[in-house]
Amino acid sequence: MFAKPRPGEKELAIWAIEQIRAFGGVLEHPAGSKLWPTLGLPEPGKRDNFGGWTLPINQHWWGHRAEKKTRLYIVGCEPKNIPNMPMRLDYPTHVIGDVGRAGNGKRPEISKAEREHTPPDLASWLVALAEMCVLNALK
């Protein structure tokens, strides 16, 4: 709903999937991304021909103020071997909305800039996961 890709950005996502399938790694995309149906990426609980699988996460677990549901496409690391993930059960203090429609005045909306950023703890976790995937793919 919010995506407004720059020229060449869609092609970059396709190239990234090709690299992940060839060398192992992880791709992070919004939960509602059209990349999954467009490229036939596996739904959660399924595998593709490259051993890839999808992990749905909530960026709130890593400190984002809004829920920010996200999908990870992973090749080269089995679910039981991924780095430990935080799990937060508290309610996010903010929402991701569009000009006041999502918050309904109950919770404030995050800014556009915050909506586009990844929490530093999640970024570090993704790097650790990608490193594990690449190392496993090289074995």
Side-chain angles (χ1 to χ4, degrees), residues 2-3 5 19-21 25 29 38 40 42 46 57 79 117 120 128-129 135:
F2 297 111
Q19 300 307 300
I20 290 166
R21 286 175 167 169
H29 247 249
T38 299
K46 307 280 184 185
I57 64 166
H117 288 98
L129 175 58
L135 287 174

Side-chain angles (χ1 to χ4, degrees), residues 30-88:
S33 172
K34 294 180 182 174
L35 192 62
W36 264 252
T38 299
L39 295 183
L41 299 178
E43 289 297 316
K46 307 280 184 185
R47 293 273 183 147
D48 65 13
N49 294 336
F50 301 90
W53 55 285
T54 297
L55 175 64
I57 64 166
N58 183 332
Q59 290 196 27
H60 175 65
W61 300 341
W62 283 270
H64 202 287
R65 295 190 305 160
E67 191 172 46
K68 198 169 180 189
K69 293 180 180 180
T70 303
R71 283 184 167 197
L72 307 178
Y73 174 66
I74 302 167
V75 176
C77 197
E78 292 298 316
K80 67 181 181 179
N81 296 328
I82 65 171
N84 289 333
M85 292 174 43
M87 180 72 66
R88 290 179 63 175

